[in-house]
Amino acid sequence: MPAVQETIDQVRQIDVDQYKYGFETTIEMDKAPKGLSEDIIRLISSKKNEPEWMLEWRLQAYSRWQTMEEPSWARVRYPKIDFNDLHYYAAPKSTSGPKSLDEVDPELLRVYEKLGIPLKEQEILAGVEKSRIAVDAVFDSVSVVTTFKEELKKAGVIFMSISEAMREHPDLVRKYLGTVVPQSDNFYATLNSAVFTDGSFVYVPKGVRCPMELSTYFRINEKNTGQFERTLIIADEGAYVSYLEGCTAPQRDENQLHAAVVELIALDDAEIKYSTVQNWYPGDKQGKGGIYNFVTKRGDCRGKNSKISWTQVETGSAITWKYPSCILRGDGSRGEFYSIAVSNGHQQIDSGTKMIHLGKNTSSRIISKGIAAGVSENTYRGQVSAHRKAENARNFTQCDSLLIGDRCGAHTVPYIEAKNSTAQFEHEATTSKISEDQLFYCLQRGIPEEAAIALIVNGFVKEVIQELPMEFAVEAQKLIGISLEGSVG
Amino acid sequence: MLEIKNLHARIAEDGTEIIRGLNLTVKAGEVAAIMGPNGSGKSTLSYILSGREDYEVTEGDILYNGESILELDASERAAKGIFLAFQYPVEIPGVATMQFLKVAMNEQRKYRGEDELTTPEFMRRVKEAAAELKIAPEMLRRPLNVGFSGGEKKRAEILQMALLEPKLCVLDETDSGLDIDALKIVADGVNALRSPDRAVVVITHYQRLLNYIVPDTVHVLYKGQVIKSGDKTLAHELEANGYAEIIEAAA
């Protein structure tokens, strides 16, 4: 309940067109020259002191990428990206791998403070009420700090930047990297494989329930920089982990590219819960600037009775192209996808999921809530398929769209394919507008228009908000309110 | 408290004139019944009073406590104490009744420059008012009006009225869709709110409701005008003889 109030307050405080996280920070940066070539990839690899096999892996991806073409099937439009006009590596100069918070540039800590991300462990520890979350902060191309490492270590959980993991746990990284999203998967994933700079690595050993929420905050700061992070999460047999991801970027006139790859692997009886609150800069009122968010996220329910659950709240980015998916390989495995996608202004979203049923008795559930305002386009694109051997595959899909105003668009594009006759797939879809009646009813109770819309929208997305960890649920509700501000009148 | 002077109003979209020179005065403490045949403009009047934008006032004025409210939007009028109990309360999916009540109460308080209610204070008020109306706590956790029965919807309206403590209550066909038991509960709820500083306008088709909410004045609305006013006996007359006689006399 208080969240709604906060949403309203927040909306009031902020001018239309003002992105809260749009500040820029001046920090001395170590940058690679613009452009992409084998030399740049070698440079990235050497900057990160990577093992030789990693460099080869990157180069292999790069040569593959050169033969590929940008996909054009999504319902999004943007000018051609000049991939040679980007910096592929940018790192704060003073952070050559800090060991602890004391070694982190205080300016950087201030950035995260401004973003409301608690990096200071002692503060979190001091606050009795607050739940504890371990954070990995990624600034442009590198991870600047990971908190609570020691405590996690005691539980046997590995949580560190992927660059560190490559040096400290090369066998694990090598065993799993690229096994869910192969190098050649798609244009952006292949590009990412060649140039990814950092991201988080999580390994939860057999039978361990990760003692706290893990989280990564991504921040793009530098101009003309692409952010290519790579996250790899492995839950070994019977393990459980909940992971949160948040993202922001400064307000800039140019578009910035973000092409991440996330791979999740759940072995027998393991469970991974992955939540995202994506709030990259969406561009201004005229549609100038903003992040191109071209992301490949996929989970592999490799073991029997494993479970992977994606929850996403997408409010930012000029363009979002993103389909967090589950491969339901293990018998009895389960995949879930809960999504809220909010588009306002000139934003374009083409997002959804794929549930690929391979094993027997696998089940999946998709709940997607799209909210379109302004002149935005909001597309749900989802695929549910059952393999020949996927006996008793079950899927339930519910896809609801809410339109605010009459200049935006909502589209639902489902692909359903069952090669096994025992499969049962259900699909429900609705499109509605906030009705004049609802709005008038709220107004008549003394609730002003913007607050009324925030209230109605929060009601619309409630099913998904409930899936988010508590801390994120509040933030998500606020964000949705802010994103829709100025959408009426 | 309420003074409607030579009011003319039409549907904004197509210009159809619905209210044609309506005059009505309701004093503080008074319960005024507005009766009339279908299409006489009863519901339209309730919407115009509460500020629905689908209607346009072309002439005349509405004074509330001596001030014109024509320039105020619906939420401002509500915060100033004008409440409309809807004939067809609207469903708000996903928003628990309790949550809606809290947002509404606090928004009104904010408008009036008052502090927000503390959660315990809010809970205390809701519990008390809900018990009076025989509303189960379980109903308050359900999304507002979603899947409510006719009786539950109307009780939820009166609950909101009790909690928001308006000065001018407009009840639009509150008796429609109610069985006699529910009607009594709702009428008791309204009667409990009668006070010297509050006015109630009861819009109804039938005399039935007025047996339970006994009006001080009765006004007959026809073709957007008040064609006859009287005391509660006028309602009985209408019940016995229908509208035809009065309409004829006024013509």
Side-chain angles (χ1 to χ4, degrees):
Chain A
M1 269 185 259
V4 175
Q5 194 47 53
E6 279 175 60
T7 305
I8 296 159
D9 293 343
Q10 204 100 16
V11 170
R12 289 244 171 81
Q13 279 163 18
I14 296 173
D15 277 346
V16 175
D17 219 19
Q18 199 178 317
Y19 175 72
K20 182 179 161 194
Y21 306 98
F23 59 87
E24 176 180 350
T25 317
T26 320
I27 286 174
E28 257 200 288
M29 296 296 283
D30 183 6
K31 254 192 304 194
K34 275 185 181 176
L36 188 52
S37 64
E38 282 201 8
D39 286 343
I40 292 286
I41 291 169
R42 283 177 204 283
L43 176 81
I44 294 171
S45 191
S46 77
K47 285 266 182 208
K48 308 186 86 61
N49 293 319
E50 286 176 355
E52 186 59 28
W53 60 266
M54 195 61 238
L55 175 62
E56 269 161 38
W57 200 78
R58 288 176 181 278
L59 291 173
Q60 212 179 358
Y62 177 61
S63 67
R64 178 76 185 225
W65 180 72
Q66 286 173 303
T67 68
M68 296 170 94
E69 277 184 38
E70 267 184 89
S72 58
W73 44 263
R75 200 185 184 100
V76 293
R77 265 177 308 180
Y78 55 94
K80 205 152 175 52
I81 300 170
D82 182 355
F83 289 93
N84 276 317
D85 195 34
L86 289 175
H87 294 286
Y88 286 84
Y89 183 81
K93 248 185 185 155
S94 55
T95 59
S96 51
K99 294 286 169 289
S100 73
L101 278 167
D102 303 338
E103 289 176 37
V104 177
D105 184 340
E107 187 59 35
L108 260 178
L109 285 180
R110 274 194 288 276
V111 172
Y112 281 92
E113 216 166 278
K114 242 176 172 170
L115 294 168
I117 299 153
L119 286 184
K120 291 190 182 145
E121 292 179 37
Q122 59 273 31
E123 269 182 22
I124 307 168
L125 286 166
V128 188
E129 293 289 310
K130 278 187 190 164
S131 69
R132 296 176 311 151
I133 302 173
V135 178
D136 182 23
V138 176
F139 197 83
D140 289 331
S141 303
V142 295
S143 167
V144 288
V145 69
T146 308
T147 61
F148 284 110
K149 253 180 171 170
E150 285 308 309
E151 194 162 336
L152 287 165
K153 210 171 168 184
K154 270 183 221 153
V157 175
I158 303 169
F159 178 39
M160 54 178 59
S161 75
I162 200 157
S163 320
E164 261 180 294
M166 245 177 265
R167 296 188 294 267
E168 291 182 29
H169 304 278
D171 296 345
L172 275 175
V173 176
R174 204 169 176 180
K175 183 172 173 191
Y176 290 107
L177 187 75
T179 63
V180 186
V181 179
Q183 266 183 347
S184 56
D185 192 78
N186 70 70
F187 185 82
Y188 299 110
T190 305
L191 176 63
N192 175 289
S193 300
V195 302
F196 76 88
T197 42
D198 224 330
S200 299
F201 175 81
V202 178
Y203 174 78
V204 187
K206 263 184 201 174
V208 171
R209 198 180 162 86
C210 187
M212 60 182 86
E213 304 268 355
L214 303 182
S215 124
T216 301
Y217 268 88
F218 295 99
R219 171 92 182 153
I220 299 179
N221 193 59
E222 269 300 297
K223 257 188 194 167
N224 302 318
T225 304
Q227 189 174 47
F228 305 93
E229 89 264 359
R230 184 128 196 154
T231 295
L232 179 58
I233 300 176
I234 303 133
D236 212 324
E237 290 173 25
Y240 169 84
V241 63
S242 168
Y243 180 91
L244 328 168
E245 166 197 71
C247 353
T248 58
Q251 215 164 324
R252 294 189 188 285
D253 288 347
E254 325 86 56
N255 295 103
Q256 283 171 289
L257 178 63
H258 173 254
V261 171
V262 174
E263 297 178 279
L264 312 182
I265 296 142
L267 301 182
D268 288 1
D269 303 305
E271 181 177 348
I272 302 173
K273 193 173 161 59
Y274 192 106
S275 314
T276 305
V277 172
Q278 184 266 109
N279 184 29
W280 297 119
Y281 178 55
D284 69 8
K285 253 186 179 168
Q286 277 72 44
K288 200 170 180 210
I291 302 283
Y292 291 163
N293 192 31
F294 301 146
V295 172
T296 306
K297 290 183 169 178
R298 197 172 301 152
D300 188 354
C301 286
R302 206 165 280 183
K304 63 175 168 44
N305 300 322
S306 55
K307 180 177 167 187
I308 289 178
S309 173
W310 298 99
T311 305
Q312 62 171 17
V313 177
E314 303 281 321
T315 61
S317 296
I319 299 176
T320 300
W321 180 96
K322 178 183 170 189
Y323 315 90
S325 304
C326 296
I327 301 168
L328 304 168
R329 199 186 303 273
D331 290 348
S333 60
R334 179 168 174 84
E336 292 173 352
F337 174 74
Y338 299 100
S339 169
I340 298 170
V342 183
S343 57
N344 195 0
H346 289 260
Q347 281 176 280
Q348 304 174 62
I349 296 183
D350 193 305
S351 182
T353 185
K354 285 193 258 184
M355 292 290 173
I356 301 170
H357 294 256
L358 301 177
K360 294 182 177 67
N361 302 314
T362 50
S363 62
S364 59
R365 180 177 166 87
I366 299 170
I367 307 285
S368 163
K369 304 275 181 178
I371 299 146
V375 291
S376 66
E377 293 290 333
N378 200 322
T379 303
Y380 166 82
R381 190 184 300 276
Q383 180 189 348
V384 178
S385 69
H387 189 261
R388 262 188 320 111
K389 291 176 181 166
E391 268 166 46
N392 298 316
R394 296 275 181 281
N395 167 267
F396 175 76
T397 300
Q398 187 187 329
C399 216
D400 299 324
S401 307
L402 186 68
L403 298 169
I404 301 175
D406 49 16
R407 291 180 302 154
C408 51
H411 318 275
T412 301
V413 191
Y415 304 85
I416 299 169
E417 188 186 28
K419 289 188 179 152
N420 186 304
S421 61
T422 60
Q424 283 187 21
F425 293 165
E426 286 175 68
H427 182 98
E428 289 176 10
T430 65
T431 301
S432 53
K433 284 184 79 164
I434 290 187
S435 74
E436 293 292 325
D437 286 345
Q438 280 177 329
L439 214 48
F440 175 64
Y441 189 85
C442 293
L443 288 171
Q444 209 301 305
R445 296 305 184 243
I447 305 170
E449 197 162 23
E450 292 217 321
I453 287 178
L455 186 72
I456 294 167
V457 168
N458 275 317
F460 175 73
V461 300
K462 194 178 174 197
E463 267 176 287
V464 175
I465 293 281
Q466 282 169 340
E467 295 296 325
L468 285 171
M470 190 67 93
E471 299 78 8
F472 260 28
V474 175
E475 187 182 350
Q477 283 185 321
K478 278 194 225 168
L479 263 180
I480 292 166
I482 294 166
S483 316
L484 289 173
E485 151 220 347
S487 61
V488 284
Chain B
M1 169 154 303
L2 175 68
E3 214 177 326
I4 302 175
K5 291 178 174 170
N6 187 32
L7 189 71
H8 291 256
R10 61 185 185 196
I11 298 173
E13 201 170 25
D14 60 11
T16 312
E17 191 167 51
I18 308 275
I19 303 293
R20 305 180 177 96
L22 187 146
N23 291 289
L24 178 70
T25 303
V26 182
K27 291 201 241 357
E30 183 179 326
V31 173
I34 299 197
M35 302 184 73
N38 279 333
S40 56
K42 300 192 300 291
S43 283
T44 300
L45 177 62
S46 74
Y47 286 143
I48 290 169
L49 283 175
S50 51
R52 185 154 191 159
E53 283 178 358
D54 304 354
Y55 301 94
E56 237 171 48
V57 171
T58 51
E59 208 183 320
D61 207 347
I62 303 171
L63 304 181
Y64 171 67
N65 290 330
E67 280 173 41
S68 173
I69 55 168
L70 293 182
E71 294 302 313
L72 301 178
D73 78 15
S75 69
E76 292 169 317
R77 294 185 199 190
K80 281 185 178 290
I82 298 177
F83 182 93
L84 170 63
F86 285 65
Q87 181 177 6
Y88 304 108
V90 181
E91 296 183 359
I92 316 280
V95 178
T97 304
M98 194 75 118
Q99 181 188 1
F100 185 86
L101 290 172
K102 193 171 187 185
V103 172
M105 287 166 80
N106 281 332
E107 284 295 339
Q108 291 205 8
R109 296 179 71 88
K110 210 190 288 177
Y111 180 84
R112 296 192 292 256
E114 298 161 15
D115 283 340
E116 286 190 6
L117 289 171
T118 61
T119 303
E121 175 61 13
F122 167 74
M123 294 300 289
R124 192 188 61 74
R125 292 191 189 191
V126 173
K127 266 188 196 159
E128 220 177 87
E132 290 283 325
L133 290 159
K134 301 194 169 49
I135 290 174
E138 177 270 333
M139 187 177 131
L140 300 174
R141 286 192 290 270
R142 281 154 55 193
L144 184 64
N145 294 324
V146 178
F148 284 18
S149 69
E152 284 175 329
K153 281 185 183 169
K154 295 297 165 74
R155 272 184 283 160
E157 290 294 288
I158 305 304
L159 174 68
Q160 293 178 56
M161 190 163 102
L163 289 169
L164 293 169
E165 301 175 327
K167 290 286 174 279
L168 174 64
C169 310
V170 182
L171 309 180
D172 186 11
E173 306 269 1
T174 293
D175 49 336
S176 69
L178 290 188
D179 61 32
I180 200 75
D181 293 333
L183 183 67
K184 276 183 189 158
I185 294 171
V186 166
D188 287 348
V190 175
N191 287 328
L193 290 171
R194 288 177 87 146
S195 87
D197 63 348
R198 180 175 286 141
V200 181
V201 174
V202 184
I203 293 174
T204 184
H205 214 73
Y206 303 106
Q207 144 73 17
R208 187 176 76 149
L209 178 67
L210 303 180
N211 289 332
Y212 299 97
I213 304 173
V214 180
D216 300 302
T217 54
V218 175
H219 309 272
V220 179
L221 193 63
Y222 181 68
K223 287 192 175 168
Q225 283 186 342
V226 174
I227 55 167
K228 186 165 185 171
S229 298
D231 61 14
K232 62 183 175 189
T233 58
L234 178 57
H236 293 289
E237 228 173 273
L238 285 169
E239 181 80 354
N241 308 326
Y243 291 106
E245 214 168 285
I246 292 172
I247 290 168
E248 229 166 85

